[in-house]
Amino acid sequence: MNTNDKDLEALSALMDGEVQDLELRRLLVSVGSDTELRARWRRQHMVREVLQERRLANTGIDVSAGVAEALSDGSSVGRGPIWSVAVAASVTLAVVMGGQQLLVPEDSVVTPFAVSELGGVVVPVGGAQPIQASLDTQSVPLQVQQSDLNNRRSVETAALYERLASDRYRKLSERHSAASAPIHPAPYITHARAAELADESLPDE
Amino acid sequence: MRYSEDRIVIYRELFAFAAIIIGDGCPTKRAPGYAEQGKDAVVTGSDTDQQLVQRAQRGELRAFDLLVLKYQGRIGTLVSRYVADPGEAEDVTQEAFIKAYRALPKFRGDSAFYTWLYRIAANAAKNHLAAKGRRPSADVVIEDVESFEQSDLIADAGTPEALAMGEELYKVVESALAALPEELRAALTLREFEGLSYDDIASVLGCPVGTVRSRIFRARDAVDERVREQLEGSSGIR
């Protein structure tokens, strides 16, 4: 039995709901490149139809290529407006959080984060202020010297985190666009189309 | 033709007899997707649909492609009952499938996939006509479609040409079945007409499940050869 026969046998078994998941996965890969498999699948269903009903539905119609072409433009299954809102919200949250960290005044004393248990080691956490861990895990802020040296370091640190936040925002934006693009042809049309989708009366099951 | 129908009766009797021999009265476990329709058994393939739908829901277009190939004829027939123009009917059919794919995340599997698809197609056809300010081309009532899976409307071949084509194809299939070796015909008949699972067919025929699967495949392969010749010689089927 050659590979093609294996696929054809699997196709036959698929008609009867008798294929395993792994086999189905392999079969679907083959279907993508083997037009004979697709034609066979269609004919087998026609045979079943005439055997059981002694009649045949409209055989002069073939929309499969048109459907595949239309869907391949935005092939992922629509996740709906909620998904888009969730992605947008996560981007917004990231921007707000990143921005808050950058807006810390240089001369302010920041309430420290929880300190790691590395005794006596200065651990920069969250990009805010350097803090020192104590052995009993109590948070102990370092005394912030208002010297010129520290000011310069603060400015450099702020610039560094600004770059990091900017990179993070860009990456999240890219993810958002990538997630939205298959569903909607243009970015940020997402929410405008939500109302349109709601108007389309999809049937209840 | 008569020969083949007699054979079907024989295999049904064979099945009943084998069920008694097996000892538990009757192997009542039916194959996935098997449904009773009145006195006749019908294989609906809903389990196959479920497998394909689940994969399509994960974004596998090829799985959805197989569902389109499977149902486009029936959906096209339904749409044609509303929309007389063949070109428009094809467009609406395509639109219905695209809408169905987009809405797949909302499909929970509470109903059969085809039931759900049928409703989407009917709505698409009605909306198309409403947009054009027209009425359905046929007197179709689908508001009460709770039991339409058992309705003739779904299986209605529609045009006289399609009916003739179906009858012609039926003869070809019957003839191909009659020409099959005994063991192949038995396996395919028990599957298509009795809706038995491969396990049950294996019990009835006293052979391994793998052999059943292989026999059914070879039977379909032989029938397909005849059907393909018939369809290629027919102008009505693309």
Side-chain angles (χ1 to χ4, degrees), chain A residues 53-69:
Chain A
E53 298 168 13
R54 287 194 72 155
R55 53 188 168 183
L56 204 55
N58 188 350
T59 54
I61 196 165
D62 188 356
V63 297
S64 59
V67 171
E69 188 182 345

Side-chain angles (χ1 to χ4, degrees), chain B residues 128-198:
Chain B
H128 175 80
L129 291 179
K132 298 254 178 187
R134 283 189 253 149
R135 297 170 65 87
S137 59
D139 185 19
V140 183
V141 179
I142 64 142
E143 275 68 26
D144 182 18
V145 289
E146 288 309 311
S147 60
F148 66 75
E149 265 192 303
Q150 282 73 44
S151 149
D152 282 344
L153 177 61
I154 284 180
D156 197 331
T159 66
E161 292 81 7
L163 280 169
M165 182 83 70
E167 191 59 36
E168 205 173 329
L169 198 62
Y170 181 79
K171 289 176 186 169
V172 170
V173 172
E174 234 186 8
S175 162
L177 277 177
L180 286 175
E182 192 74 19
E183 71 272 14
L184 300 192
R185 185 166 56 243
L188 187 59
T189 302
L190 288 172
R191 172 60 208 168
E192 292 293 354
F193 293 101
E194 294 298 332
L196 296 192
S197 69
Y198 285 9

Side-chain angles (χ1 to χ4, degrees), chain B residues 90-127:
Chain B
E90 189 157 334
D91 287 345
V92 173
T93 302
Q94 181 171 317
E95 181 194 340
F97 278 109
I98 292 170
K99 277 186 176 171
Y101 184 79
R102 300 279 189 218
L104 269 181
K106 295 177 185 172
F107 178 69
R108 301 181 303 274
D110 295 340
S111 64
F113 172 72
Y114 181 57
T115 306
W116 181 75
L117 177 64
Y118 183 95
R119 287 172 173 158
I120 288 177
N123 284 340
K126 284 196 297 182
N127 290 343

Side-chain angles (χ1 to χ4, degrees), chain A residues 123-135:
Chain A
V123 185
V125 181
Q129 292 286 325
I131 49 180
Q132 185 172 17
S134 65
L135 290 172

Side-chain angles (χ1 to χ4, degrees), chain B residues 21 52 71 74 78 91 94 119 127 162-163 189 200 211:
Chain B
I21 292 176
L52 293 174
Y71 288 122
R74 291 179 176 214
L78 164 72
D91 287 345
Q94 181 171 317
R119 287 172 173 158
N127 290 343
L163 280 169
T189 302
D200 287 340
T211 304

Side-chain angles (χ1 to χ4, degrees), chain A residues 127-199:
Chain A
Q129 292 286 325
I131 49 180
Q132 185 172 17
S134 65
L135 290 172
D136 59 357
T137 71
Q138 294 283 324
S139 301
V140 182
L142 288 177
Q143 293 298 321
V144 180
Q145 302 293 326
Q146 297 299 316
S147 66
D148 291 342
L149 180 63
N150 280 352
N151 281 340
R152 194 166 65 246
R153 283 179 178 168
S154 294
V155 170
E156 287 170 359
T157 304
L160 173 66
Y161 283 115
E162 187 175 7
R163 273 206 312 278
L164 289 173
S166 175
D167 285 347
R168 187 162 44 171
Y169 172 71
R170 184 175 49 76
K171 284 176 183 172
L172 284 168
S173 295
E174 285 170 2
R175 281 175 54 195
H176 175 55
S177 299
S180 302
I183 310 166
H184 307 290
Y188 307 117
I189 291 180
T190 306
H191 310 299
R193 289 199 63 192
E196 178 193 330
L197 284 171
D199 289 337

